[in-house]
Amino acid sequence: QVQLMESGGGSVQAGGSLRLSCETVRADWRTSCMGWFRQAPGKEREGVAGIVTIGGHTNYAESVKGRFTISRGSDKNMLYLEMNSLKPEDSGVYYCAAGMTRFGTSCSLNPATVDFWGQGTQVTVSS
């Protein structure tokens, strides 16, 4: 069973930055795609960023392009999300995810395709 453990959430003012981390335990072939999703109160969970674990190709939701960067650690057991120029609408619970459907060099950002979820970490951006 793949396990994902997030850390690094918190509160920040608009325009600030945060870095989320996700430790992967017992990763296997199903983690060919990993990513970050988020869910704001009263809203559906949405995909933020994905990374193909072999090759490192990344893809992003339009709302975060140019502001967020997804990456993996050198030991391949860590996944990161660097978030810059944060906006209040970026607030929510952020989830590390694995096993999304892969389409060539892109990962699906549809939550329905996720096989494994972390427990989530809260991000709050104040105006």
Side-chain angles (χ1 to χ4, degrees):
Q1 180 76 7
V2 176
Q3 295 182 358
L4 307 170
M5 294 169 285
E6 305 98 333
S7 60
S11 297
V12 65
Q13 288 192 327
S17 299
L18 281 174
R19 187 193 197 203
L20 305 183
S21 301
C22 174
E23 182 179 1
T24 303
V25 178
R26 289 194 287 274
D28 59 21
W29 63 270
R30 288 168 291 185
T31 53
S32 59
C33 265
M34 296 189 69
W36 292 93
F37 292 70
R38 67 186 181 189
Q39 188 166 18
K43 294 189 176 181
E44 294 186 353
R45 194 169 298 187
E46 62 176 357
V48 173
I51 185 167
V52 179
T53 55
I54 298 176
H57 297 284
T58 60
N59 58 294
Y60 298 90
E62 285 296 325
S63 59
V64 306
K65 275 184 182 178
R67 300 188 298 122
F68 289 13
T69 302
I70 186 172
S71 63
R72 296 184 72 206
S74 57
D75 63 1
K76 307 304 182 188
N77 291 326
M78 296 297 296
L79 182 73
Y80 302 104
L81 185 68
E82 187 76 35
M83 304 185 293
N84 298 313
S85 301
L86 282 162
K87 305 174 182 180
E89 52 264 41
D90 292 319
S91 297
V93 178
Y94 281 70
Y95 297 90
C96 180
M100 304 97 79
T101 303
R102 177 181 170 182
F103 300 102
T105 58
S106 293
C107 297
S108 171
L109 296 182
N110 182 347
T113 67
V114 174
D115 287 330
F116 304 101
W117 294 100
Q119 80 284 358
T121 186
Q122 178 71 44
V123 171
T124 302
V125 184
S126 57
S127 56

